[in-house]
Amino acid sequence: MTGIDRIRNSFENRGGIKLMTHVVGGYPSPGISERLVAAMASAGADLVEIQIPYSDPTADGPSIMNANAKARIAGTTTDMVIDMAGRLASSANIPILLMSYINPVYRYGIERFVARTLELGISGIIVPDYPADDELGLTEKCNRAGTAFVPLVTGGSTEERISEVCGASDSPFIYAVMRAGVTGRKTELTDEHIQFLEMAHRITGKYVAAGFGIWERVQVETLSRSAHCAVIGSAVTDIIEKEYSEGKDPTEAVARFIRAIR
């Protein structure tokens, strides 16, 4: 089964809006970040994206930027995160995706990066700053490998642009960015957001995951009117930071949060 198949099955085989959670690989430590993903999967997350730490995470707010910095200081490497994602892909029983900015992927080698995801059973890749024209061939290589390259779309995009960007990828779902700027701040959902999500689904025919500023169950309930998946990152990262800074293992607190959101 390909990564694309695993993701499609995840969306098709369970009713209601799905939940994709986010963790920075290696934060607050390599061992804890791996246990966090397993805990989130057990608590009800339908997909998990694991971020490869990077020095300039331009789409991320303060919480995730801080997590990136601490993971890098601790010596977390791209290979370490890919290997961790591979272990979790074989044990967590949900699709595992890698999130990275393009620089670490480019330095690792595009073909090598895609080959490793295929080898380890990692289901998809999210690259928020990837050029839409696919000048590096990453989308095409993912399509050939059966790995979902997840396109990002924003509310300011035209229907034509959304169709062009998303049509190049075989990913079963797209990532709809709910507001301009960076992650972290809570997004107040409006009718305009709902209309954007409905339009993105109509134009692409793909499942739509909505992210940036999703913190509460009520937001997930609102999104269920027009999105197929809610993406939660900074809220989880804040819990990890609070628990770990107090000398606690954050896995149970994160699991409680996921169960409450579900």
Side-chain angles (χ1 to χ4, degrees):
M1 182 181 293
T2 68
I4 289 172
D5 291 333
R6 286 190 291 272
I7 290 173
R8 183 177 291 110
N9 287 346
S10 177
F11 277 93
E12 291 178 349
N13 292 342
R14 179 175 176 176
I17 189 168
K18 307 300 180 290
L19 185 65
M20 182 165 76
T21 54
H22 175 284
V23 66
V24 175
Y27 171 78
S29 73
I32 292 177
S33 65
E34 189 161 343
R35 294 203 304 275
L36 281 164
V37 176
M40 289 190 287
S42 297
D46 299 284
L47 311 94
V48 177
E49 56 171 331
I50 304 174
Q51 182 171 353
I52 295 171
Y54 179 48
S55 59
D56 188 23
T58 52
D60 291 309
S63 296
I64 296 178
M65 286 185 69
N66 174 63
N68 272 261
K70 289 185 175 180
R72 283 171 52 81
I73 290 170
T76 305
T77 66
T78 297
D79 265 321
M80 288 170 62
V81 177
I82 293 174
D83 289 343
M84 180 182 79
R87 291 191 297 271
L88 288 159
S90 65
S91 64
N93 203 33
I94 62 170
I96 300 296
L97 296 88
L98 284 171
M99 180 271 190
S100 176
Y101 291 88
I102 189 57
N103 185 271
V105 177
Y106 183 77
R107 289 177 60 191
Y108 194 83
I110 299 289
E111 291 191 5
R112 179 185 173 209
F113 191 88
V114 175
R116 289 285 283 155
T117 65
L118 177 61
E119 173 191 353
L120 296 174
I122 297 164
S123 294
I125 298 171
I126 300 172
V127 183
D129 62 342
Y130 187 64
D133 60 6
D134 195 30
E135 62 181 78
L136 300 177
L138 180 55
T139 306
E140 180 185 357
K141 289 178 173 62
C142 284
N143 289 343
R144 290 203 302 265
T147 300
F149 183 84
V150 182
L152 275 73
V153 298
T154 63
S157 302
T158 64
E159 293 189 7
E160 292 76 14
R161 186 59 170 167
I162 290 173
S163 177
E164 177 186 357
V165 170
C166 298
S169 170
D170 290 342
S171 170
F173 80 104
I174 64 174
Y175 189 132
V177 177
M178 300 305 292
R179 58 174 168 76
V182 298
T183 61
R185 178 169 51 86
K186 179 182 173 183
T187 298
E188 299 297 334
L189 297 173
T190 65
D191 288 343
E192 186 176 350
H193 290 112
I194 301 304
Q195 292 164 9
F196 163 55
L197 295 170
E198 291 173 345
M199 181 268 286
H201 175 56
R202 173 175 55 81
I203 292 298
T204 65
K206 298 176 184 287
Y207 297 108
V208 178
F212 276 52
I214 308 304
W215 285 72
E216 301 172 348
R217 180 184 176 93
V218 66
Q219 292 174 292
V220 176
E221 291 171 347
T222 299
L223 287 174
S224 67
R225 294 163 43 193
S226 53
H228 306 92
C229 180
V231 185
I232 299 181
S234 294
V236 170
T237 307
D238 278 1
I239 293 170
I240 297 169
E241 177 67 18
K242 178 180 182 298
E243 294 290 304
Y244 192 69
S245 67
E246 295 175 357
K248 304 173 186 176
D249 186 328
T251 52
E252 181 50 41
V254 168
R256 285 197 303 271
F257 174 76
I258 299 302
R259 288 193 291 266
I261 289 287
R262 289 298 310 170

